[in-house]
Amino acid sequence: MPDSLSKTALETAGPRPAAAPPPEPKGKASRIAVASLIGTTIEYYDFAVYGTATALVLGPAFFPSGNATVSSLAAFLTFAAAFLARPLGVVLFGTIGDRLGRRRALVTSLLLMGVATVGVGLLPTYETAGLLAPVLLVTLRLLQGVSMGGEWGGAVLLSVEHAPPGRRALYASIPQAGPSLGFLLSSAVILPTLHLAGRDGFTNGAWRIPFLLSTVLVLIGLWVRTTVSESPVFSSAARPATSEPAPVSRFPLGVTLKRHPGRLLLGVGAAIGGSAVYYLTIVYSLSYGPKTLGIPQNTMLTAASVGAAAGIAITVPAARLADRIGRRPVMLTGAVGCVLWAVPMYASLDSRDALTITGAYTLGLLLLALMFSPVAAFLAELFPARLRYTGASAAFILANTLGGGFAPPIATWLNSQWESPLVLGFYTGGLCLLSLLCLLALPETRDCEFDT
């Protein structure tokens, strides 16, 4: 690995601009951060709706089986399939974002997500279309995954590259609230739909409503994203002071793998534990609690929603702290907490008590927020401007794929072998320990040179 971030940036970016781009006005930077948040929330709403529907209804609707475990496992494998497609999204949108601009990649990714999500809401079930139904479901799910492969990096970079000096973690943390806000928005739609339609009505067709409502949200998101300006850091890097054109690789991922393999792998490890905590809490538990432990569905949705809201509440304060004292101290605190709390958090499910589960999940998601609030700025600062979309996206998306996408099917298998929810805690705690070790191996990035 290179000895310093500034040296790495100079070697990769080629000729430097005559001067760093001037800081964006605070008001403009804030508007762009909010625009990034809106788009990220909508994309994660789509993703969360699918995850919740997987836990509630998609198994028997598209993968009927006499064995409930087999049906659930098949449905969760379609959930994981989107994560397998995310690296393709990193390559596609990373290339667009690093060659043509962050904004163009973001608009395209949101449009693709909207088409795929609405498509799921219109699909025939297995009863109507036979094997064609799960094939179409997996296809649309793969398109969702490709979209998500480009979403996170673009939203974060558009925000962080507009940020005033000394506030990159703060501005990068704003779109980081999108996953939790998207989950809360999906719960705000699914819970009333469940209440009004009842479980039978939801299973028989009302589950389509949250997917179809995505049409309105995507139109809003597209309008917001087409009104924001391109990143000044990207624009500056694309127009060097010399008469030579800016050196742009046709395949940014290949350059990233060649020049920064250590940072990429350690970046993946740094984010993998938090991904497991998020997806086991927000997705897997919603199926495991009711189906295996007999916990009411509303109890699990409420516990996850309260915890997600608490995580959102400390996202900005944690990012402000990371701008003051550094990214690593805040993230290391969250990682240590998640290692220690993983087993007690999932052990709370054995109590079957709503207050106990909600309290345990809330603390767990607060610790997760400490890990994830600064991670966007941290990963972005590990890579130079002309490889930043690809490098940061690849690290985060691979962590999400390995730690999050495969977490529900792995957990389903683990719980088929060992009945206690403690196994979830040991599995999650092990991945959080890996994140802790990777964070210790990476440098602090708060004061790195960022505009090259």
mmCIF file of all heavy atoms in Angstrom, residues 94-124:
data_model
loop_
_atom_site.group_PDB
_atom_site.id
_atom_site.type_symbol
_atom_site.label_atom_id
_atom_site.label_comp_id
_atom_site.label_asym_id
_atom_site.label_seq_id
_atom_site.Cartn_x
_atom_site.Cartn_y
_atom_site.Cartn_z
ATOM 1 N N GLY A 94 -19.714 2.691 -11.640
ATOM 2 C CA GLY A 94 -18.419 3.246 -11.279
ATOM 3 C C GLY A 94 -17.712 3.814 -12.497
ATOM 4 O O GLY A 94 -17.093 4.879 -12.451
ATOM 5 N N THR A 95 -17.812 3.097 -13.623
ATOM 6 C CA THR A 95 -17.206 3.587 -14.862
ATOM 7 C C THR A 95 -17.897 4.862 -15.333
ATOM 8 O O THR A 95 -17.250 5.842 -15.720
ATOM 9 C CB THR A 95 -17.296 2.509 -15.959
ATOM 10 O OG1 THR A 95 -16.612 1.329 -15.518
ATOM 11 C CG2 THR A 95 -16.660 2.996 -17.251
ATOM 12 N N ILE A 96 -19.242 4.872 -15.277
ATOM 13 C CA ILE A 96 -19.979 6.085 -15.655
ATOM 14 C C ILE A 96 -19.622 7.238 -14.722
ATOM 15 O O ILE A 96 -19.344 8.358 -15.168
ATOM 16 C CB ILE A 96 -21.507 5.829 -15.612
ATOM 17 C CG1 ILE A 96 -21.902 4.806 -16.672
ATOM 18 C CG2 ILE A 96 -22.276 7.130 -15.821
ATOM 19 C CD1 ILE A 96 -23.350 4.359 -16.572
ATOM 20 N N GLY A 97 -19.614 6.960 -13.426
ATOM 21 C CA GLY A 97 -19.372 8.018 -12.454
ATOM 22 C C GLY A 97 -17.974 8.582 -12.489
ATOM 23 O O GLY A 97 -17.771 9.789 -12.310
ATOM 24 N N ASP A 98 -16.971 7.725 -12.732
ATOM 25 C CA ASP A 98 -15.585 8.192 -12.771
ATOM 26 C C ASP A 98 -15.197 8.771 -14.132
ATOM 27 O O ASP A 98 -14.264 9.567 -14.226
ATOM 28 C CB ASP A 98 -14.625 7.041 -12.410
ATOM 29 C CG ASP A 98 -14.563 6.782 -10.911
ATOM 30 O OD1 ASP A 98 -14.753 7.734 -10.143
ATOM 31 O OD2 ASP A 98 -14.331 5.627 -10.516
ATOM 32 N N ARG A 99 -15.923 8.395 -15.191
ATOM 33 C CA ARG A 99 -15.603 8.912 -16.523
ATOM 34 C C ARG A 99 -16.517 10.063 -16.951
ATOM 35 O O ARG A 99 -16.056 11.031 -17.560
ATOM 36 C CB ARG A 99 -15.703 7.784 -17.564
ATOM 37 C CG ARG A 99 -14.582 6.758 -17.472
ATOM 38 C CD ARG A 99 -14.783 5.645 -18.496
ATOM 39 N NE ARG A 99 -14.863 6.164 -19.862
ATOM 40 C CZ ARG A 99 -13.817 6.451 -20.627
ATOM 41 N NH1 ARG A 99 -12.596 6.257 -20.160
ATOM 42 N NH2 ARG A 99 -13.978 6.904 -21.848
ATOM 43 N N LEU A 100 -17.808 9.954 -16.648
ATOM 44 C CA LEU A 100 -18.785 10.915 -17.166
ATOM 45 C C LEU A 100 -19.410 11.806 -16.103
ATOM 46 O O LEU A 100 -20.046 12.810 -16.435
ATOM 47 C CB LEU A 100 -19.906 10.162 -17.911
ATOM 48 C CG LEU A 100 -19.446 9.255 -19.056
ATOM 49 C CD1 LEU A 100 -20.639 8.523 -19.669
ATOM 50 C CD2 LEU A 100 -18.717 10.059 -20.123
ATOM 51 N N GLY A 101 -19.262 11.434 -14.828
ATOM 52 C CA GLY A 101 -19.790 12.294 -13.779
ATOM 53 C C GLY A 101 -20.690 11.563 -12.810
ATOM 54 O O GLY A 101 -21.336 10.565 -13.151
ATOM 55 N N ARG A 102 -20.731 12.072 -11.573
ATOM 56 C CA ARG A 102 -21.517 11.421 -10.516
ATOM 57 C C ARG A 102 -23.021 11.529 -10.784
ATOM 58 O O ARG A 102 -23.768 10.583 -10.586
ATOM 59 C CB ARG A 102 -21.219 12.050 -9.158
ATOM 60 C CG ARG A 102 -19.794 12.374 -8.761
ATOM 61 C CD ARG A 102 -18.715 11.444 -9.145
ATOM 62 N NE ARG A 102 -17.462 11.739 -8.435
ATOM 63 C CZ ARG A 102 -16.323 11.169 -8.716
ATOM 64 N NH1 ARG A 102 -16.238 10.300 -9.702
ATOM 65 N NH2 ARG A 102 -15.241 11.457 -8.019
ATOM 66 N N ARG A 103 -23.455 12.715 -11.226
ATOM 67 C CA ARG A 103 -24.892 12.954 -11.355
ATOM 68 C C ARG A 103 -25.523 12.039 -12.403
ATOM 69 O O ARG A 103 -26.614 11.501 -12.205
ATOM 70 C CB ARG A 103 -25.147 14.419 -11.707
ATOM 71 C CG ARG A 103 -26.628 14.793 -11.685
ATOM 72 C CD ARG A 103 -26.846 16.242 -11.995
ATOM 73 N NE ARG A 103 -26.518 16.540 -13.385
ATOM 74 C CZ ARG A 103 -26.877 17.670 -13.998
ATOM 75 N NH1 ARG A 103 -27.522 18.601 -13.322
ATOM 76 N NH2 ARG A 103 -26.543 17.880 -15.252
ATOM 77 N N ARG A 104 -24.856 11.868 -13.540
ATOM 78 C CA ARG A 104 -25.407 11.028 -14.599
ATOM 79 C C ARG A 104 -25.595 9.590 -14.120
ATOM 80 O O ARG A 104 -26.608 8.937 -14.425
ATOM 81 C CB ARG A 104 -24.490 11.070 -15.817
ATOM 82 C CG ARG A 104 -25.079 10.411 -17.053
ATOM 83 C CD ARG A 104 -24.182 10.601 -18.268
ATOM 84 N NE ARG A 104 -23.949 12.007 -18.558
ATOM 85 C CZ ARG A 104 -23.273 12.440 -19.619
ATOM 86 N NH1 ARG A 104 -22.774 11.570 -20.477
ATOM 87 N NH2 ARG A 104 -23.092 13.730 -19.814
ATOM 88 N N ALA A 105 -24.628 9.088 -13.371
ATOM 89 C CA ALA A 105 -24.735 7.725 -12.850
ATOM 90 C C ALA A 105 -25.907 7.605 -11.875
ATOM 91 O O ALA A 105 -26.637 6.606 -11.878
ATOM 92 C CB ALA A 105 -23.436 7.327 -12.154
ATOM 93 N N LEU A 106 -26.113 8.638 -11.050
ATOM 94 C CA LEU A 106 -27.168 8.586 -10.045
ATOM 95 C C LEU A 106 -28.561 8.587 -10.669
ATOM 96 O O LEU A 106 -29.454 7.867 -10.225
ATOM 97 C CB LEU A 106 -27.029 9.774 -9.086
ATOM 98 C CG LEU A 106 -26.046 9.592 -7.940
ATOM 99 C CD1 LEU A 106 -25.916 10.895 -7.159
ATOM 100 C CD2 LEU A 106 -26.500 8.483 -7.017
ATOM 101 N N VAL A 107 -28.767 9.411 -11.668
ATOM 102 C CA VAL A 107 -30.071 9.469 -12.334
ATOM 103 C C VAL A 107 -30.396 8.120 -12.969
ATOM 104 O O VAL A 107 -31.515 7.595 -12.856
ATOM 105 C CB VAL A 107 -30.097 10.599 -13.373
ATOM 106 C CG1 VAL A 107 -31.367 10.512 -14.230
ATOM 107 C CG2 VAL A 107 -30.032 11.963 -12.690
ATOM 108 N N THR A 108 -29.419 7.521 -13.627
ATOM 109 C CA THR A 108 -29.625 6.230 -14.290
ATOM 110 C C THR A 108 -29.923 5.132 -13.278
ATOM 111 O O THR A 108 -30.816 4.297 -13.490
ATOM 112 C CB THR A 108 -28.390 5.851 -15.120
ATOM 113 O OG1 THR A 108 -28.051 6.925 -15.993
ATOM 114 C CG2 THR A 108 -28.654 4.598 -15.941
ATOM 115 N N SER A 109 -29.202 5.121 -12.163
ATOM 116 C CA SER A 109 -29.409 4.061 -11.165
ATOM 117 C C SER A 109 -30.795 4.151 -10.550
ATOM 118 O O SER A 109 -31.458 3.132 -10.314
ATOM 119 C CB SER A 109 -28.331 4.132 -10.076
ATOM 120 O OG SER A 109 -28.520 5.238 -9.220
ATOM 121 N N LEU A 110 -31.269 5.362 -10.284
ATOM 122 C CA LEU A 110 -32.587 5.520 -9.684
ATOM 123 C C LEU A 110 -33.685 5.083 -10.649
ATOM 124 O O LEU A 110 -34.657 4.431 -10.249
ATOM 125 C CB LEU A 110 -32.799 6.979 -9.268
ATOM 126 C CG LEU A 110 -34.128 7.296 -8.570
ATOM 127 C CD1 LEU A 110 -34.289 6.470 -7.301
ATOM 128 C CD2 LEU A 110 -34.226 8.778 -8.254
ATOM 129 N N LEU A 111 -33.539 5.426 -11.925
ATOM 130 C CA LEU A 111 -34.534 5.022 -12.915
ATOM 131 C C LEU A 111 -34.599 3.500 -13.029
ATOM 132 O O LEU A 111 -35.692 2.911 -13.094
ATOM 133 C CB LEU A 111 -34.182 5.641 -14.268
ATOM 134 C CG LEU A 111 -35.146 5.356 -15.421
ATOM 135 C CD1 LEU A 111 -36.537 5.892 -15.103
ATOM 136 C CD2 LEU A 111 -34.618 5.976 -16.711
ATOM 137 N N LEU A 112 -33.435 2.852 -13.030
ATOM 138 C CA LEU A 112 -33.402 1.392 -13.116
ATOM 139 C C LEU A 112 -34.066 0.758 -11.902
ATOM 140 O O LEU A 112 -34.835 -0.208 -12.036
ATOM 141 C CB LEU A 112 -31.948 0.919 -13.239
ATOM 142 C CG LEU A 112 -31.731 -0.595 -13.346
ATOM 143 C CD1 LEU A 112 -32.427 -1.154 -14.576
ATOM 144 C CD2 LEU A 112 -30.238 -0.909 -13.380
ATOM 145 N N MET A 113 -33.798 1.278 -10.719
ATOM 146 C CA MET A 113 -34.420 0.736 -9.505
ATOM 147 C C MET A 113 -35.936 0.877 -9.563
ATOM 148 O O MET A 113 -36.685 -0.049 -9.218
ATOM 149 C CB MET A 113 -33.880 1.445 -8.272
ATOM 150 C CG MET A 113 -34.568 1.043 -6.967
ATOM 151 S SD MET A 113 -34.331 -0.697 -6.519
ATOM 152 C CE MET A 113 -32.709 -0.609 -5.768
ATOM 153 N N GLY A 114 -36.421 2.036 -10.013
ATOM 154 C CA GLY A 114 -37.858 2.253 -10.076
ATOM 155 C C GLY A 114 -38.555 1.283 -11.014
ATOM 156 O O GLY A 114 -39.608 0.715 -10.680
ATOM 157 N N VAL A 115 -37.983 1.057 -12.192
ATOM 158 C CA VAL A 115 -38.570 0.129 -13.156
ATOM 159 C C VAL A 115 -38.624 -1.280 -12.578
ATOM 160 O O VAL A 115 -39.643 -1.989 -12.687
ATOM 161 C CB VAL A 115 -37.758 0.141 -14.468
ATOM 162 C CG1 VAL A 115 -38.199 -1.002 -15.383
ATOM 163 C CG2 VAL A 115 -37.927 1.478 -15.180
ATOM 164 N N ALA A 116 -37.542 -1.712 -11.926
ATOM 165 C CA ALA A 116 -37.497 -3.065 -11.366
ATOM 166 C C ALA A 116 -38.487 -3.240 -10.226
ATOM 167 O O ALA A 116 -39.179 -4.262 -10.131
ATOM 168 C CB ALA A 116 -36.082 -3.379 -10.885
ATOM 169 N N THR A 117 -38.587 -2.241 -9.343
ATOM 170 C CA THR A 117 -39.472 -2.368 -8.187
ATOM 171 C C THR A 117 -40.935 -2.386 -8.594
ATOM 172 O O THR A 117 -41.722 -3.216 -8.116
ATOM 173 C CB THR A 117 -39.213 -1.211 -7.198
ATOM 174 O OG1 THR A 117 -37.844 -1.233 -6.817
ATOM 175 C CG2 THR A 117 -40.075 -1.353 -5.960
ATOM 176 N N VAL A 118 -41.327 -1.477 -9.470
ATOM 177 C CA VAL A 118 -42.712 -1.480 -9.946
ATOM 178 C C VAL A 118 -43.008 -2.789 -10.681
ATOM 179 O O VAL A 118 -44.102 -3.347 -10.565
ATOM 180 C CB VAL A 118 -42.968 -0.258 -10.849
ATOM 181 C CG1 VAL A 118 -44.358 -0.335 -11.484
ATOM 182 C CG2 VAL A 118 -42.835 1.033 -10.053
ATOM 183 N N GLY A 119 -42.011 -3.303 -11.402
ATOM 184 C CA GLY A 119 -42.187 -4.570 -12.095
ATOM 185 C C GLY A 119 -42.505 -5.709 -11.152
ATOM 186 O O GLY A 119 -43.358 -6.559 -11.450
ATOM 187 N N VAL A 120 -41.853 -5.742 -9.978
ATOM 188 C CA VAL A 120 -42.146 -6.788 -8.991
ATOM 189 C C VAL A 120 -43.604 -6.697 -8.554
ATOM 190 O O VAL A 120 -44.296 -7.712 -8.398
ATOM 191 C CB VAL A 120 -41.207 -6.666 -7.772
ATOM 192 C CG1 VAL A 120 -41.642 -7.626 -6.662
ATOM 193 C CG2 VAL A 120 -39.770 -6.959 -8.175
ATOM 194 N N GLY A 121 -44.089 -5.469 -8.371
ATOM 195 C CA GLY A 121 -45.476 -5.290 -7.949
ATOM 196 C C GLY A 121 -46.492 -5.743 -8.978
ATOM 197 O O GLY A 121 -47.657 -5.984 -8.641
ATOM 198 N N LEU A 122 -46.083 -5.877 -10.239
ATOM 199 C CA LEU A 122 -46.988 -6.292 -11.309
ATOM 200 C C LEU A 122 -46.856 -7.763 -11.688
ATOM 201 O O LEU A 122 -47.601 -8.252 -12.542
ATOM 202 C CB LEU A 122 -46.728 -5.434 -12.560
ATOM 203 C CG LEU A 122 -47.000 -3.927 -12.415
ATOM 204 C CD1 LEU A 122 -46.534 -3.189 -13.660
ATOM 205 C CD2 LEU A 122 -48.474 -3.657 -12.153
ATOM 206 N N LEU A 123 -45.926 -8.475 -11.055
ATOM 207 C CA LEU A 123 -45.651 -9.858 -11.461
ATOM 208 C C LEU A 123 -46.803 -10.808 -11.132
ATOM 209 O O LEU A 123 -47.452 -10.682 -10.086
ATOM 210 C CB LEU A 123 -44.397 -10.370 -10.743
ATOM 211 C CG LEU A 123 -43.037 -9.959 -11.290
ATOM 212 C CD1 LEU A 123 -41.944 -10.611 -10.451
ATOM 213 C CD2 LEU A 123 -42.886 -10.337 -12.748
ATOM 214 N N PRO A 124 -47.032 -11.784 -12.005
ATOM 215 C CA PRO A 124 -47.929 -12.891 -11.635
ATOM 216 C C PRO A 124 -47.232 -13.812 -10.637
ATOM 217 O O PRO A 124 -46.002 -13.882 -10.614
ATOM 218 C CB PRO A 124 -48.165 -13.601 -12.968
ATOM 219 C CG PRO A 124 -46.911 -13.338 -13.754
ATOM 220 C CD PRO A 124 -46.481 -11.941 -13.361
#
